[in-house]
């Protein structure tokens, strides 16, 4: 684990924040010609109660600030050639947990992370009028609504979500269909080219991964709708330096690597009417993971109704099922969310999944959801959600985690809310809160209520 602490970490926070403030105050720097530059600054204060659902644990609570600054540039010529780059740095300050009671060495109250490029890519757009675009290098990827492909760096805590990839997009206009062919090669840490400018190497995933994705999107087969189909192959290889998980994520348990190959085939449909929307997707998985044959499935759906009121409000209801590992079967039936380990419907559960899975790795889940959202004026919105959570099987990812089980399958009741607002074109803020009342899926010693509260200020140009 590499990093800087103490005064150097605190100094790095203020230097980076000062640079971003100057750029944001003076506005975007736009050069003559094809070059465009800009910056953003994200400031967060987060408070979490009872990570691990055990109030008597001296390290159960988290209080920390995050300071992320990004500088980015883009080259867009009049021809087909383009390029993009983005430099990111994030530091943190922890009020809780206390480094003196943290069970592993190396915890840093002030943490100054790596300064590195989370985007560095070249792009070839429709050369000679050809119906394809090719993008190669470090880039962001989101396919569908991000259920399985969204975040290639799951354990750096939303600092980045990048992929080292080559993406070929072919537009078959006569069929109203777009095809994406994506090749991925993801390192487990930031030590590969382009290495961090300040030499700080950190983990991004528990294992190195390679993958191949074929994704098709059609807008002609269903009137007023869209259909997606995909085949995804992932090859996971344990890191050569296992156990080097970034300590400042504060995971309550070690996060084991994967070893094996997974193939996923799936479909997604989306329909929109005048006052309603519906979407559903599902996937089957096969392969071999961690020495066992993998046979898993997952699916989810959601219906939204738009209400004719002055708040432009909407109500929605949904269901999600991700298969769990059946005890004693000999095979592995736990669904692999691939590169979907990000807070799709809960920030708090990101920290609780390691009780039976890994950080952000939703699996072994049955979820029922109902919610309401509304506009509060021109620049503000409020979203409220309730989730009833169960486990598909009374099982865990590793035998060591079995001590966290209580014998039942009910994970608990989860309520979430998010208030968002903006102040002009360059300043936005949100207040996000959640509460989990745990159920009998967890051991009796791990059923204390847990909460998450985060305030964010986001400045961008």
């Amino acid at each position: 684990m590499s990093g800087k602490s103490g005064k150097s970490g605190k100094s790095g926070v203020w230097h980076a924040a000062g640079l971003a403030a100057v750029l944001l105050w003076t506005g975007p720097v736009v050069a003559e010609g094809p070059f465009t530059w800009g910056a953003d600054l994200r400031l967060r204060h987060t408070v979490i109660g009872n990570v691990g659902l055990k109030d008597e644990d001296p390290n159960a609570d988290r209080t920390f600030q995050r300071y992320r600054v990004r500088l980015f540039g883009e080259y867009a010529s009049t021809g087909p050639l383009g390029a993009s780059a983005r430099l990111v740095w994030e530091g943190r300050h922890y009020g809780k947990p206390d480094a003196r009671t943290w069970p592993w060495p190396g915890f840093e109250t002030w943490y100054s992370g790596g300064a590195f490029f989370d985007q560095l890519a070249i792009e070839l757009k429709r050369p000679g009028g050809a119906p394809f675009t090719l993008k190669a290098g470090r880039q962001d990827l989101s396919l569908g609504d991000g259920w399985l492909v969204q975040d290639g760096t799951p354990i750096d805590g939303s600092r980045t979500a990048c992929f080292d990839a080559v993406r070929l997009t072919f537009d078959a206009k006569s069929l109203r269909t777009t095809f994406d062919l994506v090749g991925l090669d993801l390192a487990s840490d930031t030590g590969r080219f382009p290495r961090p400018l300040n030499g700080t190497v950190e983990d991004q995933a528990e294992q190195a991964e390679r993958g191949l994705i074929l994704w098709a999107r059609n807008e002609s087969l269903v009137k007023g709708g869209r259909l997606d189909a995909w085949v995804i192959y992932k090859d996971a290889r344990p890191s050569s330096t296992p156990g080097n998980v970034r300590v400042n994520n504060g995971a309550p348990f070690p996060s084991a690597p994967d070893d094996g190959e997974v193939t996923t085939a799936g479909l997604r449909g989306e329909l929109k009417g005048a006052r309603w929307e519906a979407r559903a997707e599902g996937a089957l998985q096969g392969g071999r993971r961690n020495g066992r044959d993998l046979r898993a499935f997952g699916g989810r759906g959601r219906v939204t109704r738009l209400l004719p009121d002055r708040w432009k409000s909407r109500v929605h209801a949904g269901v999600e099922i991700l298969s769990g590992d059946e005890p004693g079967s000999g095979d592995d039936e736990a669904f692999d969310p691939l590169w979907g380990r990000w807070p799709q419907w809960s920030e708090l559960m990101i920290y609780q999944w390691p009780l039976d899975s890994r950080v952000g790795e939703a699996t072994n889940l049955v979820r029922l959801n109902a919610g309401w959202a509304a506009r509060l004026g021109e620049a503000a919105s409020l979203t409220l959600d309730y989730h009833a959570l169960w486990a598909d099987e009374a099982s865990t990812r590793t035998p060591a985690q079995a001590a966290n089980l209580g014998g039942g399958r009910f994970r608990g009741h989860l309520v979430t809310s998010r208030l968002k607002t903006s102040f002009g074109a360059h300043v936005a803020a949100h207040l996000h809160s959640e509460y989990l009342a745990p159920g009998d899926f967890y051991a009796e010693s791990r059923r204390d209520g847990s909460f998450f509260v985060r305030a964010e200020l986001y400045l961008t140009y």
Side-chain angles (χ1 to χ4, degrees):
M1 187 69 205
S2 174
K4 297 181 179 180
S5 60
K7 293 182 179 179
S8 63
K10 189 173 182 179
S11 176
V13 170
W14 297 117
H15 288 166
L19 174 60
V22 169
L23 289 170
L24 293 168
W25 179 260
T26 57
V29 181
V30 181
E32 294 294 333
F35 292 97
T36 303
W37 302 88
D40 61 32
L41 173 65
R42 188 182 73 181
L43 303 174
R44 285 181 168 179
H45 180 79
T46 302
V47 179
I48 311 173
N50 286 342
V51 173
L53 309 179
K54 192 173 185 178
D55 185 56
E56 65 184 31
D57 184 344
N59 299 297
D61 297 337
R62 307 282 186 273
T63 301
F64 56 93
Q65 299 83 41
R66 300 175 62 172
Y67 318 87
R68 190 189 72 179
V69 59
R70 301 188 300 188
L71 310 177
F72 47 86
E74 182 175 344
Y75 170 80
S77 69
T78 55
L81 187 63
S84 59
R86 186 170 65 196
L87 182 65
V88 61
W89 175 88
E90 183 181 82
R92 299 188 182 190
H93 172 258
Y94 283 80
K96 292 182 180 180
D98 191 326
R100 294 171 296 181
T101 61
W102 190 249
W104 298 289
F107 188 89
E108 300 168 74
T109 300
W110 282 98
Y111 183 85
S112 181
F116 63 98
F117 288 98
D118 74 328
Q119 287 190 12
L120 190 64
I122 57 174
E123 189 171 17
L124 193 63
K125 298 181 180 179
R126 303 182 64 87
F132 71 86
T133 296
L134 179 67
K135 188 172 185 178
R138 188 161 295 170
Q139 55 190 284
D140 291 341
L141 286 174
S142 183
L143 297 175
D145 56 3
W147 183 43
L148 300 178
V149 183
Q150 174 80 18
D151 192 341
T153 58
I155 65 172
D156 77 351
S158 83
R159 176 183 60 176
T160 65
C162 54
F163 295 80
D164 289 339
V166 177
R167 179 178 185 176
L168 176 66
T169 302
F170 181 82
D171 188 3
K173 288 189 176 181
S174 61
L175 302 176
R176 296 184 63 189
T177 303
T178 301
F179 298 92
D180 276 300
L181 180 62
V182 184
L184 307 174
D185 188 355
L186 309 180
S188 62
D189 60 35
T190 58
R192 68 155 48 159
F193 175 84
R195 292 177 60 87
L197 304 183
N198 59 352
T200 300
V201 175
E202 300 152 287
D203 284 329
Q204 301 181 118
E206 297 87 351
Q207 63 278 317
E209 298 169 338
R210 292 177 180 169
L212 188 65
I213 302 171
L214 177 60
W215 193 289
R217 297 179 298 281
N218 176 272
E219 297 181 355
S220 64
L221 293 177
V222 178
K223 185 178 180 180
R226 166 180 154 177
L227 292 175
D228 292 32
W230 64 83
V231 177
I232 302 173
Y233 168 79
K234 184 182 81 168
D235 175 24
R237 292 153 290 135
S239 169
S240 60
T241 55
N244 189 30
V245 175
R246 185 181 181 189
V247 294
N248 279 354
N249 279 334
F253 301 101
S255 200
D258 272 340
D259 186 3
E261 302 176 350
V262 178
T263 299
T264 304
L267 295 170
R268 181 181 187 274
E270 182 178 306
L271 283 173
K272 292 186 179 181
R275 289 206 166 272
W276 61 272
E277 301 174 359
R279 66 175 188 260
E281 55 194 321
L284 297 175
Q285 294 183 328
R288 190 165 179 82
R289 182 175 61 187
N290 301 327
R292 294 194 292 163
D293 290 337
L294 177 68
R295 301 288 184 270
F297 67 90
R300 65 179 184 175
R302 175 166 161 165
V303 177
T304 302
R305 173 69 177 177
L306 309 180
L307 303 180
D309 57 32
R310 63 188 181 92
W311 298 292
K312 299 180 180 178
S313 58
R314 60 189 186 273
V315 293
H316 54 263
V319 61
E320 182 171 18
I321 301 175
L322 308 177
S323 62
D325 186 23
E326 181 182 348
S329 71
D331 292 336
D332 186 352
E333 294 89 6
F335 186 75
D336 187 334
L338 304 178
W339 302 287
R341 294 170 60 186
W342 59 282
Q344 301 188 32
W345 45 271
S346 172
E347 299 280 354
L348 176 58
M349 288 301 294
I350 294 293
Y351 293 85
Q352 308 299 1
W353 283 116
L355 285 168
D356 59 292
S357 181
R358 299 192 298 182
V359 172
E361 189 171 75
T363 187
N364 190 22
L365 173 69
V366 177
R367 176 174 66 93
L368 298 181
N369 163 237
W372 172 84
R375 300 287 299 179
L376 306 179
E378 292 297 323
S381 64
L382 175 65
T383 302
L384 303 174
D385 272 284
Y386 165 75
H387 306 266
L389 308 176
W390 290 264
D392 178 54
E393 298 282 353
S395 62
T396 58
R397 194 177 204 282
T398 67
Q401 294 169 317
N404 301 321
L405 297 189
R409 294 193 182 183
F410 185 57
R411 289 183 177 272
H413 303 278
L414 175 71
V415 291
T416 72
S417 71
R418 178 171 289 202
L419 176 64
K420 298 172 59 178
T421 189
S422 60
F423 307 93
H426 305 300
V427 182
H430 78 235
L431 179 64
H432 185 99
S433 60
E434 302 189 15
Y435 181 80
L436 174 68
D440 61 6
F441 174 74
Y442 302 105
E444 289 188 14
S445 61
R446 294 193 180 276
R447 295 182 190 172
D448 294 321
S450 178
F451 65 87
F452 176 102
V453 179
R454 182 179 70 210
E456 175 181 295
L457 182 65
Y458 186 61
L459 301 93
T460 184
Y461 262 100

